[in-house]
Amino acid sequence: MNKSTLNFWILFIVSIILSALIISIFVKVLKAVLFIILVLVLAPIIYIVLKLLLPGARGKSEDDKLKSRP
């Protein structure tokens, strides 16, 4: 095995390892970004649903308002 063949195989193996590392980092970043986007989208929807379902969270009713003077 001459030097150029050995150099080729070393570079080939190193490039495969670096590619795998870059892809795994990209997938982790993509998962984190997707998680953040889903949280930001679902938080207002869940807030509105909980606000509608909880009886004490409706705010003041018409009876609670101060009456105006005649």
Side-chain angles (χ1 to χ4, degrees):
M1 195 181 265
N2 59 18
K3 187 177 178 181
S4 65
T5 306
L6 183 63
N7 195 12
F8 167 76
W9 285 110
I10 291 173
L11 287 175
F12 183 69
I13 291 171
V14 170
S15 67
I16 289 177
I17 292 171
L18 287 176
S19 298
L21 287 174
I22 291 171
I23 290 172
S24 68
I25 291 171
F26 177 73
V27 168
K28 287 180 184 181
V29 169
L30 192 64
K31 284 170 67 175
V33 169
L34 183 63
F35 180 77
I36 291 170
I37 289 172
L38 287 176
V39 166
L40 291 175
V41 167
L42 288 176
I45 296 170
I46 293 173
Y47 175 79
I48 291 171
V49 169
L50 288 176
K51 190 173 179 183
L52 291 174
L53 291 177
L54 296 176
R58 294 194 198 280
K60 294 184 176 183
S61 65
E62 291 293 326
D63 297 332
D64 294 338
K65 292 184 179 176
L66 294 174
K67 295 186 179 187
S68 61
R69 294 184 183 182

